[in-house]
Amino acid sequence: MKIMVAVKRVVDYAVKIRVKPDKSGVETQNVKMSMNPFCEIALEEALKIKESGLAKEVVAVSMGPSNCVDTLRTGLAMGADRAIHVEASRDLVPLTVAKLLKKLVEIENPGLLILGKQAIDDDCNQTGQMIAGLLGWPQGTFASKVVFDKEKQVATVDREVDGGLETLCLDLPAVITTDLRLNQPRYATLPNIMKAKSKPIKKFTLEELNVEIKSDIEVVQVIEPPKRKAGVILSSVDELIDKLKNEAHVI
Amino acid sequence: MEKLRATSSLRRSLKSILNRQLSSVSEIRYLNGKRSCQPTFNLIRDHKNLGEANSIRYRCFSSVSTVVQRNPSFSTLNPDDISYFKQLLGEKSVIQDEDRLETVNTDWMHKYKGSSKLLLQPRTTEEVAQILKYCNSRRLAVVPQGGNTGLVGGSVPVFDEVIVNLGSMNNIISFDKVSGILVCEAGCILENLISFLDNQGFIMPLDLGAKGSCQIGGNVSTNAGGLRLVRYGSLHGNVLGLEAVLANGDVLDMLGTLRKDNTGYDLKHLFIGSEGSLGIVTKVSILTPPKLSSENIAFLACRDYSSCQKLLMEAKRKLGEVLSAFEFLDIQAMDLVLNHLDGVRNPLPATMHNFYVLIETTGSDESYDREKLEAFLLSSMEGGLISDGVIAQDINQASSFWRIREGVPEALMKAGAVYKYDLSLPVEKLYDLVNDMRTRLGDLARVIGYGHLGDGNLHLNVSAAQYDDKILEQIEPYVYEWTSKHRGSISAEHGLGLMKANKIYYSKSPETVKTMGSIKKLLDPNGILNPYKVLPHSLNS
């Protein structure tokens, strides 16, 4: 079985985000970029499945400008066998990503598609669900545990939902999106980094895949949330009541 | 990165650890004129009453031959003094509350405890000057205090000295974006300065594990070293100016912001590293390097110490200008960290290696630095210098590597009693000392070696379940003599404080120390500033 993992290059999780002065978006120049943490978890899960003998190959996929290759190299250094880079010059919305993934799935024929549940830059949480819909595959999103049954070709997925945990049984091929508690991604060791240099990265263009990237969504404005006002230390209960009544108007 | 705050929760958990692990406590009584004790060192073994919840049972130790006596020429506080301070500083800045005094009287390691009855928190240089002028005229001894994170007992009183804590003087005065020169008050916490500068695109030239609590005035007064010294140099090079108050209340305004100023004797260097014994630093002007965008960090494993050394030489040559940190820890240190700290992962879980090295590079071009580091590491691996290693792929992974290295002191505290030594030695000989100590101590205790290999600075720590003079005898004075024989420093960056006040002769000649004594007499004739510390007690008589 082949596993395909979609990874995204985003602003590093630990960086302090700044909004661009023209409010068109977030500052990404000269800012540390890394693989989306949920995508790391997805890749780790795929590698674990391969190591347990249930899969033969792990293919990492990323879409975007040429620096996506850095993220794919990280994926290869973690242990992925091959990588695919879809060249696109603009930011892609989840629906476009899902359509592109559908084309790639038709080419590669994986038995399992694993993605992170959402990207930390747009927090959309849509791509996994959309691709499952387009392909007509079952989906297990927010996975916190995945168990495979090779003979029956099913995956049992524990999902983290608001009320607790929901367990689903999915027929393969299926789409799984990963949540934080699924696993702890491995570090990229030097021997693997060395091996990664010789692993192939196949490039596709949008024309080759024949997908239209016209988006129906336009980002109008990006602004910071209003700054929190500093707290005030009060000296007596009377003062508290006065403030609650006259300033906060809650009593 | 971990904030090493001496919070009450850490202290409480430490107290319970002490009460559980110690079965014998050595209590050192500092002699003063009022208590009628024997004139020699008083060692009391106290097996009972460890469950007292209200008092901190602290462990102290020092060489059995050290006698610390309260200087009879210092006065004691009287109510007039208190009312003077209250009038000068206001009620809120004069603290006599027992609980707060308990905190400021005890050092971070809970090894030293004074019995000061008064804590003052001035808010301006003028207030500091008035305090010192008054104390000088009344012959009241004073301890300048910052974040109280020092490791040699230099930040807490020995007897009843008045504590002058600069924590309330925490304003950033100015910052020049073009030159990167920061002027701030001495009470600014290092981490806050780092955050401020981060917004401006700059960084502080020093970084240490205690950054969440330590203050820049203390860093300057102790010439703190830290993790980035190999790249940015020591504070003697980065501090452009400072303002200090002398013992008699005179304010020395040397707060220049010039890179070059050759007019007369450069007195600020006296205050940098004199540990508060020549004057109280109230303002600092420091040159800050620009924040470079690309940071890469690798965690490596080496088979033996000579590989670590060769790796250092290669790193300095091949990584050159981008190398910003080179730290090492041995297998015992790694073991300790993995066992005693939460949330720490071994980056190389396959096997335990004898030595671990952490290399950090900082530069302006991400891909260029990355390629350089990868090429260097891969060739080192092929050359057999490295057995295994990982490169951090994002900031979180980088922080987790630093957590391991910066967490060693904390892990040592949790493991029980620790004898700490901070030595500068020639790099080739550095680890020989650790091996010698292991042979000497045998089963008595565990010897751990780690430190700033890039600067030739070894942090030698001996860890045992409890303090025991048998262990101490094997360590001191052997460790100092060993260091002295190789012309090393018995205190690379921690300073002398109280712990090594009488040890200076191991690293400095008698004539040099005599001259230091003359300078101290000149700037502080009554000896009120941080007495009993830094210089040998014999100089005072």
Short mmCIF file of all heavy atoms in Angstrom, two decimals, chain B residues 49-70:
data_model
loop_
_atom_site.label_atom_id
_atom_site.label_comp_id
_atom_site.label_asym_id
_atom_site.label_seq_id
_atom_site.Cartn_x
_atom_site.Cartn_y
_atom_site.Cartn_z
N ASN B 49 13.41 16.70 63.40
CA ASN B 49 12.64 17.90 63.09
C ASN B 49 12.80 18.39 61.66
O ASN B 49 12.83 19.57 61.42
CB ASN B 49 13.05 19.06 64.03
CG ASN B 49 12.82 18.66 65.46
OD1 ASN B 49 11.88 17.92 65.74
ND2 ASN B 49 13.68 19.09 66.33
N LEU B 50 12.90 17.45 60.74
CA LEU B 50 13.00 17.89 59.36
C LEU B 50 11.64 18.21 58.78
O LEU B 50 11.50 18.77 57.71
CB LEU B 50 13.68 16.81 58.51
CG LEU B 50 15.17 16.71 58.76
CD1 LEU B 50 15.74 15.52 58.03
CD2 LEU B 50 15.89 17.95 58.31
N GLY B 51 10.60 17.79 59.54
CA GLY B 51 9.28 18.03 58.97
C GLY B 51 8.71 19.40 59.30
O GLY B 51 7.55 19.66 59.11
N GLU B 52 9.56 20.30 59.81
CA GLU B 52 9.03 21.62 60.16
C GLU B 52 8.58 22.33 58.91
O GLU B 52 9.35 22.57 57.99
CB GLU B 52 10.12 22.46 60.82
CG GLU B 52 10.40 22.00 62.23
CD GLU B 52 11.67 22.62 62.80
OE1 GLU B 52 12.06 23.70 62.32
OE2 GLU B 52 12.25 22.01 63.69
N ALA B 53 7.31 22.66 58.89
CA ALA B 53 6.79 23.24 57.67
C ALA B 53 7.11 24.71 57.54
O ALA B 53 7.09 25.27 56.46
CB ALA B 53 5.28 23.03 57.65
N ASN B 54 7.36 25.38 58.63
CA ASN B 54 7.47 26.83 58.54
C ASN B 54 8.87 27.33 58.23
O ASN B 54 9.04 28.41 57.75
CB ASN B 54 7.02 27.48 59.85
CG ASN B 54 5.54 27.30 60.03
OD1 ASN B 54 4.82 27.21 59.04
ND2 ASN B 54 5.10 27.19 61.25
N SER B 55 9.87 26.55 58.54
CA SER B 55 11.20 27.09 58.29
C SER B 55 11.83 26.33 57.15
O SER B 55 11.60 25.16 56.96
CB SER B 55 12.06 26.95 59.54
OG SER B 55 12.24 25.57 59.82
N ILE B 56 12.62 27.02 56.37
CA ILE B 56 13.35 26.34 55.32
C ILE B 56 14.58 25.72 55.95
O ILE B 56 15.39 26.40 56.56
CB ILE B 56 13.79 27.34 54.22
CG1 ILE B 56 12.58 27.88 53.51
CG2 ILE B 56 14.71 26.65 53.24
CD1 ILE B 56 12.94 28.82 52.40
N ARG B 57 14.70 24.44 55.82
CA ARG B 57 15.91 23.79 56.30
C ARG B 57 16.93 23.92 55.19
O ARG B 57 16.80 23.30 54.16
CB ARG B 57 15.64 22.31 56.52
CG ARG B 57 15.74 21.70 57.90
CD ARG B 57 16.36 22.51 58.94
NE ARG B 57 16.34 21.81 60.21
CZ ARG B 57 16.28 22.41 61.37
NH1 ARG B 57 16.24 23.71 61.41
NH2 ARG B 57 16.28 21.72 62.47
N TYR B 58 17.91 24.75 55.36
CA TYR B 58 18.84 24.95 54.28
C TYR B 58 20.11 24.19 54.56
O TYR B 58 20.47 23.94 55.69
CB TYR B 58 19.14 26.43 54.11
CG TYR B 58 19.79 27.07 55.32
CD1 TYR B 58 21.16 27.23 55.40
CD2 TYR B 58 19.01 27.49 56.39
CE1 TYR B 58 21.74 27.79 56.52
CE2 TYR B 58 19.59 28.04 57.49
CZ TYR B 58 20.96 28.20 57.55
OH TYR B 58 21.50 28.75 58.65
N ARG B 59 20.76 23.82 53.49
CA ARG B 59 22.01 23.12 53.67
C ARG B 59 23.13 24.05 53.30
O ARG B 59 23.10 24.70 52.29
CB ARG B 59 22.09 21.88 52.78
CG ARG B 59 20.98 20.92 53.03
CD ARG B 59 19.99 20.92 51.91
NE ARG B 59 20.57 20.51 50.66
CZ ARG B 59 20.21 21.00 49.48
NH1 ARG B 59 19.32 21.94 49.41
NH2 ARG B 59 20.75 20.55 48.38
N CYS B 60 24.11 24.17 54.15
CA CYS B 60 25.26 24.99 53.83
C CYS B 60 26.50 24.13 53.94
O CYS B 60 26.52 23.14 54.65
CB CYS B 60 25.42 26.14 54.82
SG CYS B 60 24.28 27.45 54.51
N PHE B 61 27.47 24.50 53.22
CA PHE B 61 28.73 23.82 53.41
C PHE B 61 29.81 24.75 52.97
O PHE B 61 29.61 25.65 52.21
CB PHE B 61 28.79 22.54 52.57
CG PHE B 61 29.01 22.84 51.12
CD1 PHE B 61 30.29 22.86 50.57
CD2 PHE B 61 27.94 23.12 50.31
CE1 PHE B 61 30.47 23.15 49.23
CE2 PHE B 61 28.13 23.40 48.97
CZ PHE B 61 29.39 23.41 48.44
N SER B 62 30.94 24.56 53.44
CA SER B 62 32.12 25.18 52.86
C SER B 62 33.30 24.46 53.46
O SER B 62 33.13 23.54 54.24
CB SER B 62 32.17 26.67 53.15
OG SER B 62 32.47 26.90 54.49
N SER B 63 34.46 24.85 53.06
CA SER B 63 35.65 24.20 53.60
C SER B 63 35.64 24.29 55.11
O SER B 63 35.28 25.30 55.68
CB SER B 63 36.89 24.90 53.10
OG SER B 63 37.24 24.40 51.86
N VAL B 64 36.06 23.21 55.71
CA VAL B 64 35.99 23.17 57.17
C VAL B 64 36.88 24.24 57.80
O VAL B 64 36.67 24.67 58.92
CB VAL B 64 36.42 21.78 57.69
CG1 VAL B 64 35.95 21.60 59.11
CG2 VAL B 64 35.84 20.69 56.81
N SER B 65 37.85 24.70 57.01
CA SER B 65 38.78 25.65 57.61
C SER B 65 38.28 27.09 57.55
O SER B 65 38.91 27.99 58.05
CB SER B 65 40.13 25.57 56.89
OG SER B 65 39.90 25.74 55.51
N THR B 66 37.13 27.32 56.91
CA THR B 66 36.65 28.71 56.79
C THR B 66 35.94 29.15 58.06
O THR B 66 35.09 28.46 58.59
CB THR B 66 35.64 28.81 55.64
OG1 THR B 66 36.24 28.30 54.47
CG2 THR B 66 35.25 30.23 55.42
N VAL B 67 36.33 30.31 58.53
CA VAL B 67 35.63 30.88 59.67
C VAL B 67 35.11 32.22 59.23
O VAL B 67 35.85 33.06 58.73
CB VAL B 67 36.58 31.07 60.86
CG1 VAL B 67 35.85 31.77 62.00
CG2 VAL B 67 37.12 29.74 61.31
N VAL B 68 33.84 32.45 59.32
CA VAL B 68 33.31 33.76 58.97
C VAL B 68 32.80 34.42 60.23
O VAL B 68 31.89 33.90 60.88
CB VAL B 68 32.16 33.65 57.95
CG1 VAL B 68 31.78 35.01 57.44
CG2 VAL B 68 32.56 32.75 56.81
N GLN B 69 33.39 35.54 60.58
CA GLN B 69 32.94 36.24 61.78
C GLN B 69 32.36 37.57 61.38
O GLN B 69 32.89 38.25 60.49
CB GLN B 69 34.12 36.49 62.71
CG GLN B 69 34.43 35.33 63.61
CD GLN B 69 35.58 35.67 64.54
OE1 GLN B 69 36.52 36.35 64.15
NE2 GLN B 69 35.50 35.21 65.76
N ARG B 70 31.31 37.98 62.04
CA ARG B 70 30.72 39.27 61.74
C ARG B 70 31.70 40.36 62.15
O ARG B 70 32.26 40.34 63.24
CB ARG B 70 29.40 39.43 62.50
CG ARG B 70 28.64 40.70 62.08
CD ARG B 70 27.38 40.90 62.91
NE ARG B 70 26.62 42.04 62.50
CZ ARG B 70 26.92 43.31 62.79
NH1 ARG B 70 27.99 43.56 63.53
NH2 ARG B 70 26.16 44.30 62.38
#
